């Protein structure tokens, strides 16, 4: 199993994976153009040449980034793939000097495993809502917000 930055050729597979779970109501859908435009945010996990998971770290502001689109193919879940992706996103955030990472999710228990804590969505800066306007659920967002503070030097 190999974790690395996503490549252009991964986009169709990532799009399929994310939207498979989005169609089931588990996460937000992403268009092909969104994934291409933000490709540098994405990490993927491969098993041999097969893409089995992805996640993105998107910088929002000087002190804030979001973890998005975390998905692991059915049949490869509960084997630590999601954990590797989250830890990599957090390490990446630390490397570039981000102090706080947040996520909006229907799976708060998964993120709590890594030290994220639930917060009121209204505590997040308005800046993070830019893409929410395009969500079919807006303004009735039912995702849970969680944040993680990165300790300097830790
Ligand atoms: C949520 C998801 C990314 C987890 O990936 P995974 O590879 O199965 O997770 P891991 O095996 O790395 O699990 C890490 C830990 O989180 C726990 N965990 C996994 N899914 C969980 C969930 N839904 N709720 C609570 N804890 C969860 C595991 O039991 C494990 O705990 P442990 O360290 O005590 O053993 C995966 O189930 C998935 O892709 N789901 C569909 C898409 C989705 O809902 N994404 C949500 C994020 S936006």
């Amino acid at each position: 199993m190999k974790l690395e930055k996503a490549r252009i050729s991964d986009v169709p597979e990532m799009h399929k994976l994310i939207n498979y779970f989005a169609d089931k109501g588990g996460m937000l859908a992403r268009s092909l153009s969104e994934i291409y435009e933000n490709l540098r945010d994405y990490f993927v996990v491969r098993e041999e040449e097969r893409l089995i998971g992805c996640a993105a770290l998107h910088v929002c502001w000087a002190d804030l980034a979001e973890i998005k689109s975390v998905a692991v193919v059915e049949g490869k879940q509960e084997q630590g793939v999601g954990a590797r992706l989250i830890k990599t996103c957090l390490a990446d955030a630390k490397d570039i000097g981000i102090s706080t990472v947040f996520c909006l999710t229907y799976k708060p228990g998964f993120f709590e495993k890594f030290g994220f804590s639930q917060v009121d969505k209204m505590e997040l800066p308005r800046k993070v809502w830019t893409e929410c306007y395009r969500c079919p659920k807006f303004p009735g967002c039912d995702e849970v917000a969680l944040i993680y503070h990165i300790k300097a030097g830790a």
Side-chain angles (χ1 to χ4, degrees), residues 21 26-27 70-72 77-83 105 107 109-110 113:
F21 291 119
M27 59 198 292
V70 188
V72 177
Q77 295 179 356
E78 294 286 338
Q79 295 174 33
V81 176
T105 183
K107 303 274 168 60
F110 171 65
K113 291 268 173 190

Side-chain angles (χ1 to χ4, degrees), residues 85-103:
L85 285 160
I86 299 300
K87 286 176 188 166
T88 299
C89 287
L90 293 176
D92 190 31
K94 186 176 180 206
D95 282 349
I96 60 174
I98 289 285
S99 57
T100 305
V101 176
F102 79 97
C103 66

Side-chain angles (χ1 to χ4, degrees), residues 125-136:
R126 297 299 176 269
K127 170 89 178 62
V128 310
W129 301 119
T130 45
E131 75 172 17
C132 298
Y133 299 122
R134 289 183 282 127
C135 176

Side-chain angles (χ1 to χ4, degrees), residues 10 13-14 17 44-46 49-54 73:
D10 293 320
E13 219 36 56
M14 283 157 51
L17 177 60
V44 294
V45 175
R46 295 180 216 285
E49 282 316 296
R50 182 184 174 214
L51 190 152
I52 59 165
C54 67
V73 294

Side-chain angles (χ1 to χ4, degrees), residues 15-76:
H15 181 248
K16 209 157 68 182
L17 177 60
I18 293 165
N19 291 302
Y20 171 77
F21 291 119
D23 287 347
K24 295 173 146 205
M27 59 198 292
L28 288 189
R30 300 278 170 212
S31 67
L32 273 174
S33 72
E34 272 178 290
I35 302 175
Y36 280 121
E37 284 173 24
N38 296 292
L39 183 66
R40 287 162 189 271
D41 290 350
Y42 283 86
F43 294 94
V44 294
V45 175
R46 295 180 216 285
E47 194 174 59
E48 295 174 4
E49 282 316 296
R50 182 184 174 214
L51 190 152
I52 59 165
C54 67
L57 179 83
H58 183 74
V59 176
C60 302
W61 202 246
D63 55 354
L64 188 69
E66 178 179 7
I67 292 183
K68 300 183 181 194
S69 299
V70 188
V72 177
V73 294
E74 285 173 349
K76 293 291 170 185

